[in-house]
Amino acid sequence: MRLTVDGQSFDIDADPDMPLLWALRDLIGKTGPKFGCGIAACGACTVHVDGQPVRSCSLPVGQVNGAVTTIEGIGTAGRLHPVQQAWLEEQVAQCGYCQAGQIMSAVALLDEVADPSDADIDNAMGGNLCRCGTYPRIRSAIKKAAALKTAGL
Amino acid sequence: MASVGKIARRTFLIGAAAVAGGVAVGYYYYRKPFPNPLEAELGKGEATFNPYVKIGADNTITIVAPRAEMGQGISTTLAVMVAEELDVGLDRVKVEHGPASYAYYNAAILEEGGPFAFFDESMTAQAVRSGLGVVGKFLALQGTGGSASTRDGFDKMRQAGAAARQMLIAAAAQKLGVAAADLETADGSILHKPSGKSLTYGAVAAVAAAMAPPAEVRLKDRADWKLLGKPQKRIDMLAKVTGAPIFGIDVRLPDMLYGTVKMSPRFWSRPVKADLSRAEKMTV
Ligand code: FES
Ligand code: FES
């Protein structure tokens, strides 16, 4: 089966029931998305399918109709996405395990709402858990990213 | 239950130490340093000064922060301690976890294992603490926990940086034919102000690392600290915002296979049948 991930096309030999997360990590080698719970309850595995955030641990790869974007596809160390830049400036991460998912949810939120309110943030980010409790910095980083994006940085 | 288990384990450690510890093996063994594990894994042109500092001929400076980074920021904290005394900025150093080695034992992890509050400074409490610190060396646990890593590293890491710096200065003095006292260090270089000459750490690293470590390591005065005591950016933040493969689950070994439990795709229903024939044919 063919899968487009981060702008590149891959030919993979996967059981259509295999969760997208494992196709990405084990077959394609995209280890950015993380496994947290495996039951769509934590958000660590969040990636985009055609721009929509999905929990890749619970989405069978056979049902993916669209281009997949992972944390590795939104920016790189030399060219960070505004959300990654804001995360860096606000020093958001502690252990960092949840952050790939947090960032992907935040990117999707800002694509939809340019200047999100606290309620918008709560709504969009409620499914992403952080055991280290970095929530206050996530909130300020999202606001900073919104400003960076509007300024065209 | 958990705390009962912990106490029992500590009691065991203390009991075992009386037999295997200071009494039987003696002071000599306690003082003897563990071998430097970095010697076994140096890259081309790289020199090591102690288990915490490596410097390459190209002036790449590597600091080993041998505690588990779990988001508490310890890799940054330990690196800052070395960088401060080595006189380099944090942005100039590479930080590695280093190999598993007795050299990285944590003495402070057991110090608070006695039945005293951490603020108890009575003579008995202090004596037990230093006794347990010795036990730490004998057991040589490369452990991370008990809020011990910073306390354990505070002297060790600064001394590692200061000793390396003193050796680099001595080597530079030799090479330039000037007095060590006339040399200054800044940002990975050694300057001789009177003549305007300078050398990078990398240029003298190989010679310096072969010298005997200084008998007396001088640490900076607190007032001269440039990095310590000030907020620092975490050295691992970029890796964490770009999804870099830094976690245990991201490790890929040659010929590694992935296994998983096959589950029913419907909630509350059990698998009815499964074809196990291929699995059963596999040899272990
Ligand atoms: S791993 Fe997918 S939501 Fe937790
Ligand atoms: S940073 Fe550790 S779980 Fe979120």
Side-chain angles (χ1 to χ4, degrees):
Chain A
M1 112 190 19
R2 286 205 88 75
L3 206 58
T4 305
V5 183
D6 296 339
Q8 224 184 316
S9 171
F10 294 87
D11 206 359
I12 53 167
D13 175 20
D15 183 329
D17 277 347
M18 177 187 256
L20 171 62
L21 176 65
W22 301 119
L24 291 172
R25 291 185 54 93
D26 300 350
L27 302 182
I28 294 176
K30 298 268 179 190
T31 48
K34 298 293 180 242
F35 171 77
C37 63
I39 52 167
C42 77
C45 64
T46 306
V47 300
H48 297 176
V49 175
D50 282 341
Q52 288 302 309
V54 297
R55 307 291 187 235
S56 64
C57 69
S58 306
L59 179 66
V61 66
Q63 286 175 31
V64 175
N65 297 310
V68 179
T69 309
T70 75
I71 180 92
E72 298 176 41
I74 56 164
T76 55
R79 278 182 72 95
L80 293 177
H81 185 281
V83 171
Q84 291 170 308
Q85 182 62 37
W87 245 246
L88 195 66
E89 286 172 23
E90 293 293 313
Q91 294 276 296
V92 172
Q94 280 180 223
C95 80
Y97 199 77
C98 71
Q99 300 293 345
Q102 305 279 4
I103 289 172
M104 292 313 283
S105 292
V107 167
L109 164 66
L110 291 177
D111 283 345
E112 197 134 301
V113 191
D115 186 18
S117 65
D118 279 349
D120 292 334
I121 294 175
D122 291 348
N123 243 337
M125 304 298 295
N128 286 83
L129 305 185
C130 173
R131 196 206 185 255
C132 296
T134 62
Y135 303 112
R137 290 198 297 279
I138 289 175
R139 189 184 296 283
S140 29
I142 291 177
K143 292 185 173 167
K144 173 164 268 178
L148 288 176
K149 258 188 104 176
T150 331
L153 295 175
Chain B
M1 256 341 258
S3 70
V4 171
K6 212 179 273 171
I7 289 164
R9 198 172 131 254
R10 281 181 174 157
T11 320
F12 160 74
L13 290 177
I14 295 164
V19 184
V23 197
V25 192
Y27 188 68
Y28 164 74
Y29 182 79
Y30 171 57
R31 297 293 298 175
K32 203 174 87 165
F34 287 113
N36 179 354
L38 302 182
E39 271 158 18
E41 54 163 49
L42 287 180
K44 204 172 172 299
E46 238 179 5
T48 174
F49 293 78
N50 46 55
Y52 306 99
V53 181
K54 282 191 290 187
I55 300 179
D58 62 354
N59 214 20
T60 304
I61 300 167
T62 307
I63 294 176
V64 173
R67 297 286 172 256
E69 174 62 65
M70 306 176 238
Q72 80 279 46
I74 197 63
S75 52
T76 307
T77 304
L78 294 178
V80 166
M81 292 174 186
V82 179
E84 177 69 66
E85 292 292 338
L86 198 54
D87 253 350
V88 289
L90 208 48
D91 50 351
R92 278 209 36 114
V93 301
K94 261 178 39 193
V95 182
E96 284 176 5
H97 180 266
S101 165
Y102 290 134
Y104 301 126
Y105 72 96
N106 187 336
I109 205 167
L110 291 180
E111 269 169 14
E112 296 300 332
F116 307 97
F118 71 90
F119 48 78
D120 182 348
E121 291 186 351
S122 68
M123 246 172 70
T124 331
Q126 297 287 36
V128 169
R129 250 175 230 135
S130 72
L132 288 175
V134 175
V135 175
K137 162 102 195 226
F138 280 102
L139 295 174
L141 300 171
Q142 184 181 354
T144 308
S147 300
S149 300
T150 302
R151 278 181 288 137
D152 172 68
F154 189 56
D155 288 337
K156 279 205 272 223
M157 301 305 279
R158 287 187 304 147
Q159 282 162 357
R165 179 175 165 273
Q166 281 171 242
M167 289 154 83
L168 289 160
I169 289 183
Q174 217 174 57
K175 188 152 182 179
L176 296 173
V178 300
D182 291 335
L183 293 172
E184 290 168 31
T185 51
D187 204 26
S189 287
I190 306 149
L191 305 339
H192 183 247
K193 277 245 175 88
S195 67
K197 282 188 188 142
S198 79
L199 287 167
T200 64
Y201 283 179
V204 288
V207 179
M211 295 180 135
E216 191 199 339
V217 178
R218 290 181 306 273
L219 294 178
K220 282 185 187 174
D221 274 345
R222 205 170 259 261
D224 298 328
W225 284 351
K226 293 186 196 114
L227 307 171
L228 283 176
K230 301 185 176 68
Q232 302 295 333
K233 300 249 178 209
R234 290 176 185 247
I235 51 125
D236 49 2
M237 193 57 70
L238 185 64
K240 287 176 178 175
V241 304
T242 50
I246 54 171
F247 298 94
I249 196 175
D250 302 332
V251 173
R252 301 193 89 182
L253 296 172
D255 297 327
M256 189 163 109
L257 296 176
Y258 298 94
T260 186
V261 179
K262 177 112 178 134
M263 284 182 279
S264 164
R266 305 270 174 276
F267 278 126
W268 315 122
S269 58
R270 291 163 185 278
V272 190
K273 58 178 169 40
D275 179 6
L276 302 179
S277 57
R278 276 174 67 201
E280 279 165 355
K281 262 190 240 125
M282 287 174 78
T283 48
V284 198

